[in-house]
Amino acid sequence: LGLKHRGIFIAQFLSGGNMAPLIKPWYDAGAYASLYGQMDLDGVTFARFGDRCTTGARAGIVDAAVSGLPGGAGAADGWHPVTLRNIEKVDVDAGSLAYLDPPNPGWINQADCIDMDCDGPKHALIRDEDGTFIGGNGGAILPRSEEFSEGSFFGVPYRDPVNLEGLRPGPWWYPNVPAVMRTNRAGDLLNLTDTYLKRGFGLARKGCTLEVGWNAWRCPEATQPKSYRRLIIENMDADHEIRRPSPVAVTSETGYTDLLNGCMDHGWCFSYTCLKRLMTFWAVVTMRTEYTVHFTGTNPQKLRLSIPYTPESENIMIKIYYQSSLRLQIFVGEQRRFVEDMNLHDGRQKAQLVRDGKWTPNDGGSGYIAQLPSLTCPCQIGGVCRDALLCRTASNVHGANRWNRAEGLLEIVMSGHDIDKYIDIEGMPVVSVSMGVSTSVEEFYNVKDSFISNLASLLGVSPNRISIVDVVAGNARRRLLATGAVVSFEIEPDPEIAMMNSSISVLESRGSVVINVTRSVNVVGPCSVRYEVTSTNSTSARQGVNFVAASGVLVFLSTETSKKITVTLLSEAGYAAEDKTLVVVLSEPVNATLNDDTTAISIKNVHPPAPSAPQLNGNPTASNVPLKWSTTSWPDVPSVGLQTVLGWELQCLRPEISSTWITVPVLGTATTSLFGGQPAYTLVECRVRVQCVGGWSSWSASSAGLRTLAVCGDGTRHQTEICDDGDVEGGDGCSAACSVELGWSCVKGNGVPDTCNNGCGDGRLTGSEECDDGANADGDGCSSSCRVEGGWTCGP
């Protein structure tokens, strides 16, 4: 990475991976920089950095303790700040503390950064917070952003005579600054040397010293008490990668103008660069000062500003120039807290409200003096810091703002903040009209309400959408207005109410889902809309089974920007292969228009599919049926982990005995069990269900008829048994194999063992009969089996 030995490189925080080391080296970014990031060095020791060699290959080579990547080394976009504290230096030369390489001139081409240097290397920021690195009270090390590489600005070098005084197109020509900087609002040519470029290009560096060995500026705290911080400017428009509003000029009140280019083109489309560049800008600014920002071409309609990693005690004023007249709305943070222009109340000019008797004068009399943003004063009225009680909105808080109509500047105060307290600026298009009326200023205010009402009727808009901006005496050069007045008014658009999302997928186990409804374009004044949670012919969710139907009215108070609709979900037992769908629909807007009026909710089933029916797990015994089962494939599991098995439930039924299912114990998540303790040859049907993270599946199909084994000698005939006399002894008519012996017959017992005989009871003594009295009864001397009973004798 070059000749110098580098101690620590400035860290790169990226929005995506760079496939290192297989595709790219570690130091080649290959992606846009992430918005936020900071490298903190605390308690680090640097030793033996300097010019150590006088001969040999390293003769004259100087080291650097902290450095950027040489030539940018593939990191073209935002370089995030470095802070140092509690640093120990051992034998480190003063000229070897840091080195900031300039950007790679090769990046100036249509496939990378177009016509200017890439921003990253020219906007590094190294902060010594306690003086242990650069000495004294600390301070900052800044890159030479005032330098432009050869080939900048479409091949017209920065030092070309075309940029010098006395040559075309006038005495004050500068390379590629936004055209709007060259003239004032009246179109008069401005001398940039006397205005925005009093001290030239680059970062504000009043009181800084150029350290040639560092290729950077040393800005000690002693001479530069205003700390340096990172200002991030994000273009939030939909075309933020395909429309270029740069160069963006960021001008300090001390007369330095820094030109920002935007990100490098990192994309590849069919083996060609995509010609897309993210228009996010990482600037370096001094706090407790004022900056003016000019965009090239049309300003983004949506901007986001942030100063991350900065204490609340530090603030800055940003003034953004707008060519066209529009109403700008300021929102703070993720919660989108609306901060109204300090000279407006509910969209109406406070000066006009004072004339109407609806606002308290602030000039000590009966008039109104414009309130101004301030870095120090909580209530800046005109050029005077007044009692804070006179200002309902503080002049010096985060987000405090006003529209400077005369100069076309949005003036806004930013304080240090957490990363979720950024400032959003959104333009509201308005129609600005000035017209003459044949009444005096005083007479106009007597008929103002009628004027607005008639004008609204003529234009077909609500009177709430028309606001008076100013009323001044007429122009004497025009006879009609010599004794009349000129009325300036704005026609505002209706608020737009819309669903934040057109579709949402949710697990049924959530229990509920929140639908966000936003109000945009115009956030001033009340409005409302009706909503309904329902199903239609094209949806599949069932009311009362999958969701709870609901309806109502959402009322937006003035400056409210969001509302929530809570949809209650119901969990339907069992697996469903298809998602259930329903809709939330907006209708009947009042004082507003509808944009996206429907959110489709897709409810994803969380119950697993039913497992397969249990099967025999080996051979059954006379009293036990061994069982096994398995899960069924779950296609398109809606969430990782849902298929994790928590347990099983096994039930078996003996249909020839009872219709009651019997729960069979299953150990943990085992997929085997034993249905035991059953009579021989008992018919068994079993089913199983699985419990996963989302709940229980449906029951499986019942297993095919299973039986315990038949047992010869248990007194009941089963399967192939021809007889079963309750024993396994032969010679009694029923053999040990439960077959009828020769010369015998066996009668099936009704709940008792079989009775076998070889002619007993026919009155003839045959075979093995001891007696045969012609009866099959016991107790008469000859038993039912033709045996002589005890105490009896029988003759032939």
Side-chain angles (χ1 to χ4, degrees):
L1 291 178
L3 297 177
K4 298 176 185 292
H5 279 178
R6 316 292 177 112
I8 293 180
F9 290 115
I10 295 175
Q12 300 297 312
F13 295 82
L14 304 179
S15 61
N18 65 351
M19 297 178 287
L22 298 179
I23 305 299
K24 294 179 179 291
W26 293 107
Y27 53 80
D28 192 345
Y32 295 135
S34 64
L35 279 177
Y36 305 114
Q38 180 169 285
M39 178 179 179
D40 296 322
L41 301 179
D42 192 340
V44 177
T45 298
F46 295 95
R48 297 184 59 78
F49 285 88
D51 186 357
R52 303 297 169 191
C53 301
T54 58
T55 61
R58 283 189 47 79
I61 294 176
V62 180
D63 302 326
V66 178
S67 168
L69 295 174
D77 303 333
W79 285 27
H80 297 82
V82 179
T83 66
L84 301 102
R85 62 180 73 85
N86 301 317
I87 301 301
E88 183 178 357
K89 296 174 293 184
V90 179
D91 197 16
V92 176
D93 293 347
S96 296
L97 289 178
Y99 190 83
L100 296 179
D101 295 80
N104 183 351
W107 288 337
I108 302 177
N109 64 77
Q110 290 290 342
D112 291 322
C113 294
I114 313 297
D115 62 331
M116 292 174 59
D117 287 317
C118 297
D119 286 339
K122 295 179 68 170
H123 295 86
L125 172 59
I126 301 174
R127 290 172 41 85
D128 179 3
E129 299 197 338
D130 60 4
T132 56
F133 190 65
I134 65 174
N137 296 323
I141 299 174
L142 303 180
R144 301 200 63 184
S145 59
E146 72 278 7
E147 293 289 329
F148 297 94
S149 296
E150 197 74 17
S152 297
F153 311 115
F154 299 105
V156 180
Y158 171 52
R159 296 183 179 85
D160 192 280
V162 74
N163 300 313
L164 303 180
E165 291 185 11
L167 298 178
R168 67 177 183 86
W172 316 297
W173 179 255
Y174 293 94
N176 234 30
V177 296
V180 290
M181 297 177 65
R182 303 173 190 266
T183 62
N184 60 20
R185 295 277 280 182
D188 300 324
L189 188 66
L190 292 178
N191 183 339
L192 296 184
T193 304
D194 294 337
T195 52
Y196 299 113
L197 285 164
K198 291 179 182 178
R199 295 182 179 272
F201 287 98
L203 303 178
R205 54 189 183 274
K206 183 178 180 181
C208 301
T209 302
L210 179 62
E211 296 286 351
V212 177
W214 299 358
N215 191 42
W217 295 90
R218 179 204 293 262
C219 301
E221 189 73 18
T223 57
Q224 184 62 45
K226 300 176 180 179
S227 65
Y228 286 89
R229 299 289 182 180
R230 168 73 74 225
L231 168 66
I232 303 174
I233 305 172
E234 294 181 72
N235 176 3
M236 304 298 289
D237 287 350
D239 60 359
H240 58 267
E241 280 190 307
I242 59 176
R243 186 179 74 85
R244 181 187 179 190
S246 69
V248 177
V250 180
T251 305
S252 69
E253 64 181 30
T254 52
Y256 296 94
T257 291
D258 181 31
L259 293 183
L260 295 164
N261 185 7
C263 293
M264 174 187 276
D265 183 352
H266 292 285
W268 288 97
C269 299
F270 304 103
S271 300
Y272 295 91
T273 55
C274 296
L275 299 180
K276 291 182 178 181
R277 300 172 56 220
L278 181 67
M279 290 293 103
T280 294
F281 310 93
W282 290 266
V284 176
V285 295
T286 55
M287 301 302 289
R288 305 183 183 92
T289 189
E290 297 180 6
Y291 279 85
T292 302
V293 177
H294 290 85
F295 287 90
T296 298
T298 303
N299 288 37
Q301 295 301 293
K302 295 182 180 180
L303 275 177
R304 178 170 292 172
L305 308 178
S306 57
I307 312 177
Y309 315 113
T310 302
E312 291 185 14
S313 59
E314 298 183 17
N315 60 6
I316 188 173
M317 188 180 300
I318 304 294
K319 300 179 178 181
I320 304 175
Y321 178 80
Y322 286 83
Q323 299 180 67
S324 57
S325 178
L326 72 166
R327 183 79 60 83
L328 295 164
Q329 300 177 114
I330 310 301
F331 303 91
V332 174
E334 292 180 352
Q335 303 302 315
R336 290 182 58 81
R337 178 176 61 85
F338 177 66
V339 183
E340 193 170 18
D341 184 320
M342 57 184 61
N343 292 302
L344 297 180
H345 177 69
D346 279 348
R348 300 294 180 260
Q349 296 284 339
K350 291 180 180 177
Q352 298 301 315
L353 295 176
V354 168
R355 293 294 301 258
D356 292 341
K358 298 178 180 179
W359 197 262
T360 304
N362 67 355
D363 65 347
S366 59
Y368 181 84
I369 299 175
Q371 182 182 347
L372 307 179
S374 172
L375 296 177
T376 56
C377 177
C379 185
Q380 185 78 25
I381 296 179
V384 180
C385 185
R386 304 286 296 276
D387 189 322
L389 296 177
L390 290 176
C391 296
R392 182 173 297 186
T393 302
S395 295
N396 61 345
V397 297
H398 186 55
N401 68 92
R402 77 142 181 164
W403 171 243
N404 182 342
R405 186 178 302 276
E407 298 183 40
L409 294 173
L410 170 67
E411 301 172 353
I412 185 167
V413 174
M414 295 185 66
S415 299
H417 56 84
D418 295 333
I419 59 175
D420 62 346
K421 293 298 189 294
Y422 47 76
I423 288 178
D424 281 340
I425 303 169
E426 298 181 3
M428 178 177 71
V430 297
V431 178
S432 297
V433 180
S434 292
M435 61 182 296
V437 294
S438 58
T439 63
S440 66
V441 172
E442 295 301 326
E443 291 171 339
F444 173 80
Y445 280 103
N446 293 330
V447 297
K448 185 188 70 169
D449 291 342
S450 297
F451 173 84
I452 292 175
S453 178
N454 293 335
L455 184 61
S457 178
L458 175 67
L459 298 175
V461 299
S462 168
N464 294 331
R465 303 277 73 86
I466 300 176
S467 61
I468 302 299
V469 175
D470 199 9
V471 182
V472 296
N475 189 341
R477 289 178 297 178
R478 298 174 62 183
R479 178 172 300 179
L480 176 64
L481 301 180
T483 59
V486 176
V487 179
S488 298
F489 59 90
E490 291 179 342
I491 304 172
E492 306 167 0
D494 281 333
E496 283 190 5
I497 298 178
M499 294 292 196
M500 180 174 288
N501 304 103
S502 60
S503 62
I504 294 177
S505 292
V506 61
L507 301 179
E508 63 180 353
S509 56
R510 278 268 301 268
S512 64
V513 60
V514 174
I515 306 299
N516 291 299
V517 182
T518 63
R519 173 241 189 104
S520 61
V521 178
N522 186 350
V523 302
V524 175
C527 59
S528 65
V529 68
R530 182 173 179 78
Y531 73 90
E532 184 177 10
V533 181
T534 186
S535 58
T536 66
N537 292 334
S538 60
T539 59
S540 57
R542 291 180 295 166
Q543 178 182 336
V545 176
N546 303 111
F547 72 99
V548 175
S551 62
V553 175
L554 299 177
V555 177
F556 290 84
L557 301 178
S558 182
T559 74
E560 276 192 304
T561 59
S562 65
K563 288 289 186 179
K564 299 181 185 299
I565 302 171
T566 300
V567 179
T568 300
L569 305 177
L570 303 176
S571 182
E572 183 178 7
Y575 171 73
E578 301 293 331
D579 295 344
K580 303 296 184 180
T581 56
L582 67 142
V583 291
V584 182
V585 181
L586 301 179
S587 62
E588 302 176 24
V590 176
N591 294 329
T593 58
L594 280 180
N595 194 344
D596 300 318
D597 61 0
T598 302
T599 292
I601 302 176
S602 178
I603 306 175
K604 293 187 173 297
N605 179 273
V606 298
H607 297 85
S612 55
Q615 299 175 335
L616 280 177
N617 185 27
N619 296 321
T621 67
S623 60
N624 300 322
V625 178
L627 298 164
K628 66 179 181 180
W629 57 88
S630 62
T631 57
T632 299
S633 174
W634 190 350
D636 301 324
V637 179
S639 180
V640 175
L642 273 181
Q643 72 271 37
T644 301
V645 174
L646 302 180
W648 298 87
E649 185 176 7
L650 175 66
Q651 291 185 344
C652 292
L653 174 73
R654 301 174 299 178
E656 296 175 340
I657 300 174
S658 171
S659 60
T660 302
W661 287 96
I662 301 171
T663 299
V664 182
V666 177
L667 183 62
T669 57
T671 55
T672 60
S673 188
L674 191 71
F675 185 42
Q678 304 305 312
Y681 203 65
T682 299
L683 179 63
V684 173
E685 293 181 7
C686 295
R687 64 184 184 180
V688 67
R689 64 175 181 164
V690 61
Q691 183 185 24
C692 292
V693 172
W696 288 97
S697 72
S698 299
W699 288 103
S700 70
S702 294
S703 60
L706 309 174
R707 287 185 181 273
T708 54
L709 286 181
V711 177
C712 179
D714 65 355
T716 304
R717 293 185 188 184
H718 300 301
Q719 285 184 303
T720 59
E721 293 178 348
I722 301 174
C723 61
D724 193 326
D725 59 359
D727 60 52
V728 290
E729 298 177 359
D732 58 358
C734 189
S735 72
C738 287
S739 61
V740 178
E741 296 176 310
L742 184 62
W744 290 78
S745 64
C746 297
V747 178
K748 185 176 183 180
N750 185 14
V752 296
D754 287 4
T755 301
C756 298
N757 64 73
N758 55 358
C760 178
D762 61 359
R764 294 179 298 165
L765 186 64
T766 58
S768 61
E769 295 176 342
E770 296 178 355
C771 61
D772 190 332
D773 58 0
N776 284 320
D778 294 325
D780 58 357
C782 188
S783 70
S784 59
S785 59
C786 292
R787 291 290 185 267
V788 177
E789 295 175 316
W792 291 80
T793 59
C794 296

